Amino acid sequence: MLSLPLPLLLVALVVVVAQVASQLLGASWRKPNITTSLEDRIRLAQGALSQAISQLDSATLAFPDPATTYGLSGALYSQLAEFDQLTNQSRYAITLGGYFGSAKAVTAANFSGPYVLNNGLNFGYGAVVAYKTYKTYNSSLFLQFAIEAWSAAVPYTITQAALDAGKMANKSFTLSPSCQGVSMAGGAFYSTDPVNTGVVVIATGGFFVLSALLAEATADAKYLSAAVQSMSFIRAHLYNGEGLVIDGMSASATDNCALSTLGLLPYNSGLMVEGLAVLYSISHNTTYRNMLDDLITASLATTGWQNVSAWRCACDEQARMAVMNI
Ligand SMILES: *[C@@H]1O[C@H](CO)[C@@H](O)[C@H](O)[C@H]1NC(C)=O
Ligand SMILES: *[C@@H]1O[C@H](CO)[C@@H](O)[C@H](O)[C@H]1NC(C)=O
Ligand SMILES: *[C@@H]1O[C@H](CO)[C@@H](O)[C@H](O)[C@H]1NC(C)=O
Ligand SMILES: *[C@@H]1O[C@H](CO)[C@@H](O)[C@H](O)[C@H]1NC(C)=O
Ligand SMILES: *[C@@H]1O[C@H](CO)[C@@H](O)[C@H](O)[C@H]1NC(C)=O
Ligand SMILES: *[C@@H]1O[C@H](CO)[C@@H](O)[C@H](O)[C@H]1NC(C)=O
Ligand SMILES: CC(=O)N[C@H]1CO[C@H](CO)[C@@H](O)[C@@H]1O
């Protein structure tokens, strides 16, 4: 039961792309013609979202068993807001007002769960997209929620001051001040566990994207500065030789800048693509546009997660969104 909602949703959301891809295995896969009509694609996505909503607990408006599904509820809320944003609708505005209103009652102490950064940031992301999509409707609820989610991630994001001190309040080990001569400032931890040393893109990139969207929504300089710092961290520390984003690294001084050995995963590059797209759209700084071009080109060239004979996940939700928004 617990793993049902998201896979169902994802399977249904990608079904159209999968259908197209399966018809086009071979050299032509790169320039597929999407023959499913826009109406049909919207209907399919809509059906998937309805199916996921039907799995929510009617009392909490979140998936059952929050200890393991907390972040998935935030991901679903985000998809509802994204769906409306991409289809120019307000179908889920009232629904999301209710969901975030309900979530607000339980999340203040709980943006965390053990994995604050990807879990809580999912809610923040959904809230800021809802704020952007529905304009004045419930805007203070959505914006405030996004800011709270961002604020909950701040204590798990490495600052230069923490590096100068060698430590930070919520972590019990000595921080590595720099790696390959570049400061570790801007990296965000995966886990709230004080001994967990992993700084990962799902956290750092999620914080980057939320910061960039809040910079766009509020024009408060602290969000832009946070966005640029997290982006710079990923660029400096977590690009591989192909120009793709790897999963993460240790921030502990005793680990000597050890990189994650997890294989290449599309969502890491996807988060960077989305954050860069937002950063470019608010700054028109061509550095970001160039970084985006390079990363997208590298993402299309790799066989790390897709190739002519196997289609696993052509690109993640956020990368698609970002590309559509440019
Ligand atoms: C896609 O459509 C265009 C225009 O109709 C056509 O020229 C092209 O060959 C099609 N590509 C594929 C892969 O079917
Ligand atoms: C939503 O509106 C934008 C801007 O007017 C338009 O380009 C886009 O095609 C619309 N999307 C849908 C699904 O109607
Ligand atoms: C905002 O959302 C709440 C649910 O949290 C709802 O009760 C309220 O009516 C909404 N207000 C507006 C103005 O949309
Ligand atoms: C919030 O945290 C409390 C205490 O850790 C826990 O009992 C509860 O299940 C959590 N709620 C959610 C939605 O994660
Ligand atoms: C553009 O962004 C880069 C990278 O963040 C920065 O170094 C540069 O100063 C920015 N340029 C302008 C004109 O703001
Ligand atoms: C394509 O990807 C699959 C799954 O990762 C892998 O088994 C296969 O060897 C790859 N094929 C090529 C031609 O790279
Ligand atoms: C153990 C510890 O220092 N926890 C802190 C983590 O960060 C939050 C927010 O700044 C603090 O309230 C906690 O005291």
Side-chain angles (χ1 to χ4, degrees), residues 151 155-156 168-171 194:
S151 303
Y156 298 95
M168 56 197 280
N170 283 322
K171 290 288 168 181

Side-chain angles (χ1 to χ4, degrees), residues 106-140:
V106 287
T107 45
N110 268 350
F111 272 120
S112 36
Y115 304 114
V116 66
L117 291 156
N118 53 323
N119 287 348
L121 289 171
N122 280 353
F123 284 87
Y125 177 84
V128 75
V129 174
Y131 173 74
K132 198 172 153 179
T133 303
Y134 307 128
K135 311 272 175 349
T136 57
Y137 182 80
N138 249 321
S139 61
S140 59

Side-chain angles (χ1 to χ4, degrees), residues 1-148:
M1 191 60 185
L2 19 110
S3 60
L4 185 63
L6 194 68
L8 250 184
L9 176 64
L10 290 178
V11 163
L13 282 178
V14 300
V15 80
V16 179
V17 185
Q19 281 170 353
V20 172
S22 67
Q23 289 156 14
L24 292 167
L25 295 179
S28 64
W29 70 269
R30 273 171 192 280
K31 292 185 178 170
N33 286 334
I34 296 175
T35 53
T36 310
S37 70
L38 178 62
E39 293 70 28
D40 280 351
R41 279 179 277 142
I42 290 174
R43 192 179 46 73
L44 281 164
Q46 170 82 67
L49 294 174
S50 299
Q51 181 61 246
I53 287 171
S54 76
Q55 308 283 333
L56 296 178
D57 178 304
S58 58
T60 61
L61 305 179
F63 289 123
D65 194 7
T68 51
T69 60
Y70 178 63
L72 300 185
S73 299
L76 174 62
Y77 298 178
S78 300
Q79 287 172 343
L80 299 181
E82 286 174 341
F83 175 77
D84 272 348
Q85 183 180 54
L86 292 172
T87 56
N88 305 321
Q89 301 181 74
S90 300
R91 181 184 282 266
Y92 294 115
I94 297 172
T95 304
L96 283 170
Y99 289 0
F100 280 109
S102 170
K104 204 171 168 60
V106 287
T107 45
N110 268 350
F111 272 120
S112 36
Y115 304 114
V116 66
L117 291 156
N118 53 323
N119 287 348
L121 289 171
N122 280 353
F123 284 87
Y125 177 84
V128 75
V129 174
Y131 173 74
K132 198 172 153 179
T133 303
Y134 307 128
K135 311 272 175 349
T136 57
Y137 182 80
N138 249 321
S139 61
S140 59
L141 170 68
F142 294 138
L143 184 59
Q144 198 52 41
F145 200 105
I147 289 171
E148 282 174 22

Side-chain angles (χ1 to χ4, degrees), residues 181-271:
V182 182
S183 165
M184 290 287 281
F189 288 97
Y190 180 48
S191 170
T192 55
D193 182 345
V195 302
N196 190 311
T197 63
V199 162
V200 298
V201 175
I202 206 166
T204 310
F207 187 68
F208 167 30
V209 170
L210 181 56
S211 299
L213 288 169
L214 281 170
E216 181 183 45
T218 69
D220 184 330
K222 77 175 175 218
Y223 298 121
L224 183 58
S225 149
V228 171
Q229 194 162 56
S230 290
M231 177 279 293
S232 304
F233 175 90
I234 294 171
R235 180 68 192 89
H237 298 291
L238 298 176
Y239 266 44
N240 72 5
E242 282 180 86
L244 293 166
V245 181
I246 62 168
D247 201 67
M249 68 189 296
S250 170
S252 167
T254 56
D255 286 339
N256 302 312
C257 304
L259 299 175
S260 161
T261 53
L262 216 60
L264 214 48
L265 295 164
Y267 58 73
N268 291 317
S269 293
L271 283 165

Side-chain angles (χ1 to χ4, degrees), residues 228 231 285 287-288:
V228 171
M231 177 279 293
N285 181 332
T287 302
Y288 305 137

